Amino acid sequence: MAEALSRASAWRKSAYSKRADDCVEVSTEVSGWVGVRDSKLASTSPILAFTASQWGSFVRGLGA
């Protein structure tokens, strides 16, 4: 999975980020998975991989 996410080209940044390089980027390019990386490091950043279900639970928890 990490290899597939490392080749992802579609990464997006949070609309809440105040500076373009001080945030995380998220990719949903690999079906069923969400990759998260540090925008300052871009393609050299380590990537955290979550299932879509895990990511959904995390995001819902932020709103609690």
Side-chain angles (χ1 to χ4, degrees), residues 2-3 6 8-9 12-13 18-20 23 25 30-31 34-37 44-45 47-48 50 52 54 57-58 62:
E3 181 66 30
S6 71
S9 60
R12 66 182 184 278
K13 295 176 186 171
K18 300 211 185 303
R19 291 182 44 202
C23 61
E25 295 177 313
V30 178
S31 181
V34 177
V36 180
R37 70 181 186 183
T44 63
S45 175
I47 298 170
L48 299 174
F50 300 93
Q54 290 169 327
S57 293
F58 172 72
L62 292 175

Side-chain angles (χ1 to χ4, degrees), residues 26-61:
V26 177
S27 177
T28 56
E29 190 172 312
V30 178
S31 181
W33 290 88
V34 177
V36 180
R37 70 181 186 183
D38 184 334
S39 66
K40 291 183 297 297
L41 301 175
S43 63
T44 63
S45 175
I47 298 170
L48 299 174
F50 300 93
T51 65
S53 176
Q54 290 169 327
W55 184 253
S57 293
F58 172 72
V59 172
R60 283 188 299 279

